[in-house]
């Protein structure tokens, strides 16, 4: 509460303390001149344009009861209207007139003083537009009732709306008087209790005929809104001119339009002249005034045609409340009369009022027994949709007790857009950074495609590997790299869904292929002593990789179907800022997505470790192990950093991109680049001719070619080329061993020499990577000096 308000209230209390002591000393409410001439006082600012309809509604209510009073009780009842000027004088005049009850005062400001007087003189009053929460104090206002739901309920309705949209931070601007201050206090109190932060609370003096706040006051308000990064702003202002003036300033400061949500309360809901296009999408709450019911339709017609001498005026919503307030007062007085009581006894009227329950224009009307507050309040949700029309349209209702919101159409937000805006300042991705990341990714993609092309064009030089092995690695890596391109642009729903699909499938294809090779090596290793022959067929690779892909797809289908990722503004490390990120309702999907891959890796690394001795002797196993270690390292570091830097999406995007680039590009490079480099740089040439010659004739006889005789083989060649190795087998006498026999371990590759073709079983089976276990082959080769054809194409294949 503001200091000046406290002073004001203290002064009023002191004055009334004196007054009330005087009353107790003998100053009492005078007896009525004619007890049968009942009078209701009507209190509302007469200069307001709404006044005629408000008072007209009260007169209309009386005209419906005056016959009953006359015929049943022999009493007349009239409405006493006057041009009010001074709250205290007017209310003193009313109570000493005297009157049976008062309809009004209309607003919280007047009510807060006038109702002290009414309380002191035991005159019941029913405010029809006062929402101030301070009026609920039954100690200061013992004879106060109201048909307008109070600010407590209105704020509750606003908070229902905030919660529905998932907003947890809100700013408040209010006019600096009882209504605005009280509403803002309520907003702060209730928000805190609901875990919603009010990040700034700004006051501005209300506009009236003689006063407009200076520009510097507005500047302070908006400077503070900017500092708080306000996005959802509740404007608790007294009248439409206050709101229009603030929105005028808001437009200048860039606080209207997409990303900014203004919610106004009943004070500004009677808006006219909201014709600026940028105002479209503003929301308002207003206590339900009956719209949509037959009762209301008839009532509105009567008021606008019979009780409105400003022909052409629209209906003022407050008239519904003025009518219900008058009806309530009449019913209360009638109930006293029906009981044979005295309608001039305020206590009796008040008691009857607080036991009423009836269907008014504004819904079920009843009063709280303790405070006189309206019970069963419901709020309409209004939306400024048509700026040509310049006023709000009702689009739904809010029940503040239950928090239920029923909408008859989608809410239009500023922009205008139907998309729920964020309560944070949404920052966009750093374009330069993302372009740089995109270019780096593009280079990696080109490298991988280049390696893939070399493999396809120079297939024979890679023939010790299964062609499927190479193809799967390249395809998987390309899918994985493609996922980066779904990560870099501003997130959209399709991009958000594609990222885990591409990354996941790319990953399991690459990993599954590597795993198949390692698994085979492990089987080889563990079966070596059993003299068994291990063969790896394309079918085997396809089955294993297929199993990984199937598992991944099942998971991804579940994820996409149940809780697909959607772009959402997520708060980041800078207070008040958010960034669009792909998010699912549950983070568990990501954890599962990552952690079962970690499990794969651990298993792969375990196998690689178990086969480390074999690894050294096999051309491919060393790079495969390296690739696995690389994947492990990248994932472990990326995950660890990812969790540490959770709030920093820029860091996360850089880490994710680098992890994906490292994971896939390094895998492909480690596996293929040395050989590709040798081919490109021409070092491969002579070996190629050996390989070719051996392919053509190496099997049946060990004739040396020109290359063999003219070129000396270095250790490097041995280490890098299976062909070289197999040649050494030849050179040391294993003439009849297949070209790629490994002499030390006797492991034999007979890599396919053509890509498998669809529907061509023979081609596929010929390209199988065959491995023969050492001792078996060696023994046969040494003893029989025969072709090992029979043992290298055995029918009792393992695995
Ligand atoms: C009741 O009010 C109506 C409308 O103001 C008026 O025409 C009628 O004469 C009144 N009846 C009595 C009994 O005062
Ligand atoms: C409208 O009614 C008010 C009183 O209800 C009266 O003072 C005023 O002259 C009327 N205006 C017109 C244009 O009839
Ligand atoms: C907007 O309001 C104007 C003025 O009331 C009306 O003429 C127009 O038809 C409305 N436009 C729409 C789309 O409802």
């Amino acid at each position: 509460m503001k200091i000046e308000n406290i002073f004001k209230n203290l002064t009023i209390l002191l004055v009334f303390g004196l007054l009330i002591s005087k009353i107790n000393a003998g100053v009492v409410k005078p007896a009525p001149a004619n007890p049968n001439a009942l009078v209701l006082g009507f209190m509302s600012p007469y200069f307001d344009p709404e006044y005629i309809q408000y008072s007209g509604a009260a007169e209309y209510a009386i005209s419906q009861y005056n016959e009953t009073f006359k015929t049943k009780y022999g009493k007349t009842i009239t409405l006493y209207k006057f041009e009010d000027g001074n709250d205290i004088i007017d209310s003193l005049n009313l109570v000493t007139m005297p009157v049976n009850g008062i309809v009004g005062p209309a607003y919280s400001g007047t009510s807060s003083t006038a109702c002290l007087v009414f309380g002191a003189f035991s005159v019941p009053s029913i405010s029809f537009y006062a929402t101030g929460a301070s009026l609920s104090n039954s100690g200061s206002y013992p004879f106060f009732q109201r048909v307008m739901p109070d600010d407590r309920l209105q704020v509750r309705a606003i908070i229902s709306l905030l919660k529905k949209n998932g907003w947890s931070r809100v700013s408040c601007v209010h006019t600096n008087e009882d209504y605005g201050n009280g509403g803002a206090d309520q907003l702060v109190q209730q928000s805190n209790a609901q875990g919603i932060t009010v990040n700034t609370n700004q006051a501005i003096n209300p506009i009236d005929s003689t006063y407009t706040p200076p520009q510097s006051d507005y500047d302070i308000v908006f400077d503070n809104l900017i500092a708080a990064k306000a996005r959802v702003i509740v404007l608790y202002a007294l009248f439409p001119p206050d709101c229009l003036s603030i929105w005028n300033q808001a437009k200048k400061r860039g606080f209207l339009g997409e990303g900014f949500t203004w919610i106004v309360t009943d004070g500004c809901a009677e808006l006219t002249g909201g014709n600026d296009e940028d105002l479209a999408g503003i929301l308002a709450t207003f206590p339900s005034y009956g719209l949509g019911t037959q009762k209301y339709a008839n009532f509105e017609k009567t008021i606008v045609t019979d009780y409105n001498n400003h022909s052409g005026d629209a209906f003022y919503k407050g008239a519904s409340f003025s009518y219900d307030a008058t009806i309530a007062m009449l019913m209360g007085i009638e109930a006293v009369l029906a009981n044979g009581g005295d309608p001039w006894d305020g206590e009796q009227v008040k008691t009857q009022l607080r036991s009423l329950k009836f269907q008014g224009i504004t819904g079920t009307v009843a009063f709280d027994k303790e405070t006189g507050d309206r019970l069963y309040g419901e709020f309409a949700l209004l939306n400024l949709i048509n700026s040509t029309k310049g006023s709000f349209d009702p689009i739904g209702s809010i029940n503040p007790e239950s928090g239920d919101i029923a909408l008859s159409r989608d809410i239009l937000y500023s922009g205008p857009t139907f998309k729920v805006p964020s309560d944070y300042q949404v920052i966009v991705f750093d374009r330069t950074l993302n372009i740089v990341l995109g270019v780096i990714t593009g280079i990696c993609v080109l490298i991988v495609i280049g390696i893939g092309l070399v493999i396809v064009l120079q297939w024979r030089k890679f023939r010790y590997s299964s062609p499927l092995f190479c193809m799967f690695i390249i395809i998987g890596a390309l899918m994985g790299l493609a996922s980066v391109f779904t990560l870099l642009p501003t997130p959209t729903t399709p991009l958000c869904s594609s990222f885990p699909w591409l990354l996941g499938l790319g990953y399991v294809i690459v990993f599954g292929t590597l795993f198949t090779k390692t698994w085979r090596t492990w089987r080889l290793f563990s079966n070596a002593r059993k003299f068994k022959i291990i063969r790896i067929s394309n079918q085997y690779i396809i089955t294993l990789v297929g199993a990984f892909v199937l598992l991944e797809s099942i998971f991804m289908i579940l994820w996409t179907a149940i809780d697909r990722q959607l772009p959402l503004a997520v708060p980041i490390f800078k207070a008040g800022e958010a960034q669009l990120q792909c998010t699912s309702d549950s983070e568990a999907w990501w954890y599962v997505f990552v952690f079962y891959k970690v499990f794969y890796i651990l298993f792969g690394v375990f196998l690689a470790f178990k086969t480390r001795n074999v690894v050294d002797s096999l051309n491919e196993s060393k790079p495969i192990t390296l690739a696995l270690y690389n994947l492990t390292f990248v994932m472990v570091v990326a995950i660890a950093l990812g969790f540490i830097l959770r709030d920093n999406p820029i860091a996360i995007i850089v880490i994710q991109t680098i992890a994906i680039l490292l994971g896939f590009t390094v895998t492909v490079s480690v596996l293929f680049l040395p050989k590709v480099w040798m081919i490109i740089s021409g070092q491969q040439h002579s070996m190629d001719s050996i390989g070719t010659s051996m392919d053509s004739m190496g099997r049946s006889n060990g004739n040396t070619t020109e290359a063999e005789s003219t070129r000396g083989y270095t250790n490097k060649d041995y280490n890098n080329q299976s062909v070289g190795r197999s040649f050494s087998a030849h050179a040391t006498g294993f003439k009849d061993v297949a070209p790629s026999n490994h002499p030390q371990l006797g492991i034999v590759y007979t890599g396919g020499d053509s890509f498998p073709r669809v529907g061509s079983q023979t081609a596929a089976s010929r390209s199988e990577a065959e491995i023969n276990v050492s001792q078996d082959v060696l023994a046969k080769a040494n003893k029989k000096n025969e072709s090992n054809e029979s043992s290298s194409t055995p029918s009792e294949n393992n695995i």
Side-chain angles (χ1 to χ4, degrees):
M1 198 181 273
K2 300 273 181 306
I3 290 292
E4 53 260 52
N5 288 334
I6 294 172
F7 268 116
K8 191 172 146 198
N9 289 344
L10 275 180
T11 319
I12 290 165
L13 286 174
L14 274 176
V15 168
F16 284 101
L18 286 172
L19 203 67
I20 288 160
S21 62
K22 273 195 175 165
I23 294 162
N24 290 339
V27 182
V28 288
K29 189 165 69 178
N34 176 3
N36 288 329
L38 305 183
V39 183
L40 296 187
F42 183 81
M43 219 176 165
S44 174
Y46 66 94
F47 44 79
D48 281 354
E50 298 91 346
Y51 179 81
I52 292 165
Q53 287 190 18
Y54 290 177
S55 60
E59 278 169 353
Y60 176 48
I62 287 183
S63 75
Q64 296 192 313
Y65 267 80
N66 61 357
E67 296 293 342
T68 314
F69 276 74
K70 183 90 204 160
T71 52
K72 263 187 158 173
Y73 310 104
K75 313 228 181 244
T76 61
I77 185 153
T78 50
L79 190 69
Y80 173 71
K81 298 186 285 183
F82 62 98
E83 298 196 347
D84 66 339
N86 181 306
D87 298 346
I88 295 174
I89 308 288
D90 289 340
S91 42
L92 277 172
N93 283 342
L94 274 178
V95 295
T96 52
M97 215 176 116
V99 292
N100 300 80
I102 288 144
V103 176
Y107 304 114
S108 301
T110 313
S111 295
S112 62
T113 45
C115 292
L116 286 171
V117 180
F118 301 151
F121 286 86
S122 306
V123 179
S125 67
I126 307 180
S127 282
F128 56 88
Y129 225 128
T131 58
S134 60
L135 293 167
S136 303
N137 180 349
S138 60
S140 304
Y141 307 106
F143 282 79
F144 171 81
Q145 279 76 223
R146 55 177 146 197
V147 287
M148 190 72 152
D150 60 302
D151 286 331
R152 228 186 309 253
L153 285 180
Q154 174 145 243
V155 168
R156 213 178 282 175
I158 291 172
I159 284 178
S160 305
L161 182 64
L162 299 181
K163 290 181 111 177
K164 172 184 152 50
N165 283 347
W167 291 328
S168 62
R169 57 195 297 279
V170 65
S171 310
C172 181
V173 178
H174 63 92
T175 42
N176 192 12
E177 40 68 52
D178 289 354
Y179 169 75
N181 294 337
D185 283 348
Q186 276 299 316
L187 186 70
V188 171
Q189 283 174 26
Q190 293 193 31
S191 297
N192 285 347
Q194 299 280 338
I196 294 171
T197 316
V198 179
N199 50 39
T200 186
N201 192 2
Q202 296 297 312
I204 186 102
N205 286 329
I207 294 174
D208 65 30
S209 48
T210 57
Y211 176 84
T212 310
Q215 181 62 39
S216 56
D217 284 7
Y218 286 111
D219 287 345
I220 291 170
V221 168
F222 280 94
D223 287 347
N224 287 323
L225 287 180
I226 287 169
K229 299 191 170 110
R231 285 302 178 271
V232 177
I233 303 155
V234 173
L235 179 51
Y236 231 108
L238 196 51
F239 291 119
D242 297 307
C243 288
L244 286 170
S245 164
I246 285 169
W247 290 330
N248 189 22
Q249 297 287 331
K251 188 170 179 166
K252 284 189 206 154
R253 302 292 292 259
F255 262 78
L256 270 186
E258 184 146 18
F260 296 89
T261 311
W262 289 84
I263 304 171
V264 298
T265 53
D266 54 286
C268 286
E270 290 279 17
L271 188 71
T272 52
N275 301 105
D276 191 322
E277 277 181 10
D278 287 348
L279 297 181
I282 289 178
L283 292 166
T285 54
F286 192 87
S288 288
Y289 54 97
L291 193 73
T293 61
Q294 188 55 44
K295 211 171 181 175
Y296 168 81
N298 298 338
F299 172 72
E300 182 191 347
K301 211 168 137 212
T302 309
I303 295 299
V304 173
T305 54
D306 301 348
Y307 290 90
N308 178 22
N309 61 2
H310 300 226
S311 55
D313 263 11
F315 174 79
Y316 291 108
K317 303 173 182 77
S320 299
F321 293 93
S322 154
Y323 177 83
D324 277 355
T326 316
I327 293 286
M329 189 59 88
L330 292 167
M331 286 174 77
I333 293 172
E334 199 208 334
V336 173
L337 291 171
N339 286 348
D342 176 10
W344 295 98
D345 181 349
E347 194 67 53
Q348 291 182 26
V349 176
K350 172 183 138 180
T351 307
Q352 290 301 335
L353 274 178
R354 295 193 179 182
S355 1
L356 285 177
K357 184 174 178 183
F358 67 99
Q359 281 299 316
I361 302 280
T362 64
T364 306
V365 180
F367 303 99
D368 187 274
K369 291 241 175 345
E370 175 68 22
T371 60
D373 284 336
R374 164 75 182 265
L375 299 179
Y376 309 108
E378 198 172 83
F379 285 81
L381 182 62
L382 313 177
N383 201 181
L384 206 150
I385 295 166
N386 183 344
S387 56
T388 316
K389 185 176 158 195
S391 60
F392 291 100
D393 284 317
I395 58 160
S397 64
I398 308 176
N399 182 335
E401 302 291 348
S402 65
D404 292 338
I405 299 180
L407 293 177
S408 57
R409 55 167 289 171
D410 285 342
I411 300 176
L412 183 75
Y413 296 99
S414 292
T417 172
F418 289 104
K419 229 178 77 188
V420 180
S422 175
D423 47 342
Y424 285 82
Q425 177 181 337
V426 180
I427 57 167
V428 290
F429 282 118
D430 185 335
R431 247 171 242 285
T432 325
L433 176 70
N434 285 19
I435 288 172
V436 169
L437 291 177
V439 168
I440 295 174
T441 312
I443 292 171
C444 289
V445 168
L446 287 181
I447 291 174
V448 172
I449 289 179
I451 292 175
L453 275 179
V454 171
I455 293 175
V456 170
L457 294 177
Q458 305 281 324
W459 167 244
R460 292 185 149 263
K461 289 153 197 163
F462 290 86
R463 70 189 179 288
Y464 59 86
S465 308
S466 159
L468 267 184
F469 172 80
C470 300
M471 274 184 1
F472 277 178
I473 297 276
I474 298 288
I475 289 171
L478 285 177
M479 282 176 80
L481 291 177
S483 72
V484 175
F485 292 112
T486 67
L487 198 63
L488 297 180
T490 305
T492 62
T493 307
L495 287 179
C496 283
S497 306
S498 324
F499 176 69
W501 271 100
L502 283 171
L503 181 60
L505 289 182
Y507 178 85
V508 294
I509 290 173
V510 169
F511 176 81
T513 314
L514 292 177
F515 177 82
T516 309
K517 284 259 163 173
T518 315
W519 173 257
R520 183 215 44 205
T521 310
W522 180 69
R523 291 297 309 260
L524 192 68
F525 176 69
S526 57
N527 282 302
R529 265 159 278 137
K530 296 177 194 159
F531 301 99
K532 283 194 175 165
I533 289 150
I534 313 288
R535 277 165 61 97
I536 298 281
S537 64
N538 281 334
Q539 214 175 351
Y540 184 72
I541 297 180
I542 290 171
T543 311
L544 246 154
V545 174
F548 279 114
V549 169
L550 185 73
L551 212 72
E552 182 76 9
S553 302
I554 291 173
F555 172 73
M556 282 310 304
I557 287 171
L558 285 180
W559 186 358
T560 312
I562 296 173
D563 191 9
R564 72 157 42 200
Q565 295 216 99
L566 295 171
L568 208 79
V570 181
I572 59 171
F573 64 107
K574 282 187 198 151
E577 287 185 9
Q579 185 148 11
L580 275 183
Q581 291 171 49
C582 299
T583 37
S584 288
D585 286 347
S586 167
E587 285 208 354
W589 296 104
W590 261 117
Y591 291 121
V592 175
F593 181 81
V594 169
F595 281 109
Y596 75 74
K597 289 185 180 61
V598 170
F599 175 75
Y600 284 176
I601 289 246
L602 292 182
F603 194 42
V605 168
F606 167 74
L607 281 188
F609 178 76
K610 289 286 277 186
T611 57
R612 64 196 182 282
N613 294 328
V614 185
V615 155
D616 246 5
S617 326
L618 268 175
N619 275 329
E620 267 179 325
S621 292
K622 193 164 190 175
I624 287 176
T625 312
L626 255 176
L628 275 175
Y629 286 155
N630 168 59
L631 276 181
T632 315
F633 176 76
V634 165
M635 285 201 73
V636 166
V637 170
I639 291 168
L641 281 178
F643 277 105
I644 293 169
L645 300 168
R646 286 185 74 161
D647 289 345
N648 191 334
I650 296 170
I652 284 186
I653 215 167
V654 171
I655 290 168
Q656 276 177 330
T657 305
I658 289 176
I660 292 169
L661 294 186
L662 278 181
F664 289 103
T665 318
V666 170
T667 300
V668 170
S669 304
V670 161
L671 290 175
F672 304 121
L673 206 54
K675 285 145 213 166
V676 168
W677 177 246
M678 292 195 81
I679 292 169
I680 291 172
S681 64
Q683 294 176 52
Q684 180 75 18
H685 179 75
S686 56
M687 286 181 208
D688 184 37
S689 64
I690 296 166
T692 314
S693 69
M694 278 204 255
D695 257 359
S696 54
M697 53 190 183
R699 282 185 184 235
S700 51
N701 59 51
N703 285 351
T704 51
T705 63
E706 266 187 12
E708 279 175 73
S709 55
T710 54
R711 198 188 189 286
Y713 290 93
T714 64
N715 277 336
K716 192 173 168 237
D717 299 325
Y718 281 69
N719 291 335
N720 284 319
Q721 265 299 322
S722 66
V723 180
R725 224 183 259 282
S726 67
F727 176 73
S728 82
H730 282 264
T732 47
F734 298 107
K735 285 181 181 174
D736 302 316
V737 176
S740 48
N741 274 2
H742 188 286
Q744 282 80 37
L745 273 177
I747 293 168
V748 179
Y749 281 122
T750 54
D753 45 17
S754 66
F755 277 91
R757 268 163 284 142
V758 180
S760 165
Q761 276 301 334
T762 44
S765 57
R766 239 188 279 125
S767 66
E768 289 167 352
E770 299 172 6
I771 294 131
N772 296 350
V773 179
S774 60
Q775 285 90 341
D776 194 12
V777 178
L778 286 174
K780 283 180 182 173
N782 280 333
K783 280 181 187 170
K784 296 184 181 172
N785 198 20
E786 278 170 12
S787 160
N788 67 343
E789 214 95 290
S790 57
S791 57
S792 68
T793 53
S795 53
E796 79 278 17
N797 291 339
N798 266 13
I799 295 186

